[in-house]
Amino acid sequence: MNEQLERLKEIAEWHESKADDLRCLDESHAIGQYEYHTFQAKKYWYRYGWLLGEIETMKEFGEEMILLPGRALR
C-alpha cells in the first residue's frame, strides 16, 4: 500500500506542477488545461488521503475489522 500512496502523491504533484506552469498563460487552451490539471490534482490528493486513512484505520483496529464503504464493523 505504501507504493500506492507514493504513486498517488507523485501523480498529484505532477498535475499540480503542470497547473502551475499553465497558470500564467492567458490562451484559451491553457485555461482549460489549467482547470483540468487542477481537478486531477485534487482527485489524486483525495485518493491519497482516503488510502492513508484506510491504512491508519487498519493499523489502529487490526485484522478484526471488516471495511465496508462508509462503515467500519468489528
Side-chain angles (χ1 to χ4, degrees):
M1 283 198 187
N2 287 332
E3 298 95 24
Q4 290 176 332
L5 275 178
E6 192 61 35
R7 183 72 179 136
L8 289 170
K9 182 179 177 184
E10 288 174 6
I11 293 170
E13 290 173 343
W14 182 83
H15 280 290
E16 284 179 340
S17 172
K18 294 300 271 184
D20 287 342
D21 293 344
L22 295 164
R23 185 181 320 164
C24 298
L25 301 176
D26 290 331
E27 301 168 19
S28 61
H29 75 279
I31 295 168
Q33 288 179 351
Y34 169 78
E35 291 173 355
Y36 169 78
H37 286 294
T38 302
F39 174 77
Q40 292 296 319
K42 288 178 184 178
K43 181 173 77 172
Y44 282 101
W45 280 123
Y46 173 81
R47 290 179 181 175
Y48 176 87
W50 181 86
L51 183 58
L52 186 60
E54 290 290 312
I55 292 169
E56 291 175 357
T57 301
M58 289 301 291
K59 285 180 183 175
E60 175 95 17
F61 294 104
E63 294 296 323
E64 73 271 4
M65 192 172 81
I66 299 170
L67 296 177
L68 298 173
R71 294 185 173 88
L73 303 177
R74 284 187 180 183

